[in-house]
Amino acid sequence: RRGLMNLGNTCFMNSALQCLSNTAELQQYFFSGAYTRELNTSNPLGMGGAIACAYGRLVHQLWGAASGAVVPREFKSTLARFAPQFTGYAQQDSQELLAFLLDGLHEDLNRIVSKPYIEAPDWHGGSAGDMLRFAAKQWDLYKARNDSVIVDLFQGQYRSTLVCPACTTVSIKFDPFMY
């Protein structure tokens, strides 16, 4: 509906924000205010909810009834407070901003308030079905510490296989990824 006004050379930021704000499920989550019920202000890895709230206000400006360009000055100021590399109005890397923003939103909205220590088990072989169950268990262990709308929409799991050239031992890991 609306665009973002460029603040100097902030097209890197605006393009990432436009992509995120046009992700229908995420846009609805923020526009409906659902994010306010899931703010995790005590997460030491988060930003006290500040990034999620600033992004929520920006989504309301972008998707509200008014028309015209939105000036993302408040969002940029909040972003720069936690990520000084984005201070000023110079051109930056869009992927770096997106990585920081998604991680910040995840930690500000992490539904896990007290993260348990969990040691990930190793794969010891078995059938294809066993491997699928092992992968599901690895995902469950990850979700026991990381559970947010960002995980729901933007994270997944990949399988990594390493074979030792000397002893031919096979190591299989299932690791989370984002983006």
Side-chain angles (χ1 to χ4, degrees):
R1 271 198 198 225
R2 300 174 70 177
L4 291 165
M5 185 168 287
N6 203 8
L7 304 170
N9 288 322
T10 58
C11 55
F12 74 96
M13 178 182 76
N14 291 353
S15 64
L17 292 172
Q18 286 285 15
C19 285
L20 279 184
S21 77
N22 278 283
T23 303
E25 297 88 348
L26 188 66
Q27 181 267 333
Q28 186 56 40
Y29 173 82
F30 276 94
F31 193 75
S32 71
Y35 75 96
T36 61
R37 293 183 293 279
E38 295 189 338
L39 282 175
N40 185 342
T41 58
S42 63
N43 184 350
L45 299 176
M47 288 135 218
I51 289 289
C53 288
Y55 183 75
R57 287 188 293 275
L58 184 64
V59 167
H60 269 273
Q61 291 174 326
L62 284 169
W63 294 95
S67 62
V70 172
V71 180
R73 195 174 319 276
E74 179 203 356
F75 175 82
K76 186 172 181 329
S77 172
T78 302
L79 176 72
R81 193 169 83 220
F82 295 101
Q85 67 269 33
F86 299 117
T87 302
Y89 299 98
Q91 182 69 30
Q92 299 286 336
D93 185 80
S94 204
Q95 175 63 25
E96 285 180 33
L97 178 117
L98 189 59
F100 178 83
L101 180 55
L102 285 173
D103 188 56
L105 289 172
H106 161 64
E107 294 298 351
D108 273 1
L109 299 167
N110 197 344
R111 298 171 188 122
I112 308 300
V113 176
S114 179
K115 294 183 178 191
Y117 173 77
I118 301 170
E119 196 164 322
D122 291 329
W123 169 251
H124 297 293
S127 69
D130 292 337
M131 187 179 296
L132 288 175
R133 285 185 286 283
F134 182 73
K137 181 176 181 170
Q138 293 296 297
W139 186 248
D140 290 343
L141 292 174
Y142 179 74
K143 292 269 296 193
R145 295 179 50 85
N146 300 283
D147 185 20
S148 71
V149 67
I150 302 302
V151 173
D152 297 343
L153 297 174
F154 298 102
Q155 290 190 3
Q157 187 179 45
Y158 67 91
R159 183 177 102 178
S160 174
T161 304
L162 297 173
V163 179
C164 176
C167 68
T168 68
T169 299
V170 177
S171 172
I172 297 176
K173 291 274 198 188
F174 291 90
D175 294 311
F177 70 91
M178 183 162 36
Y179 335 113

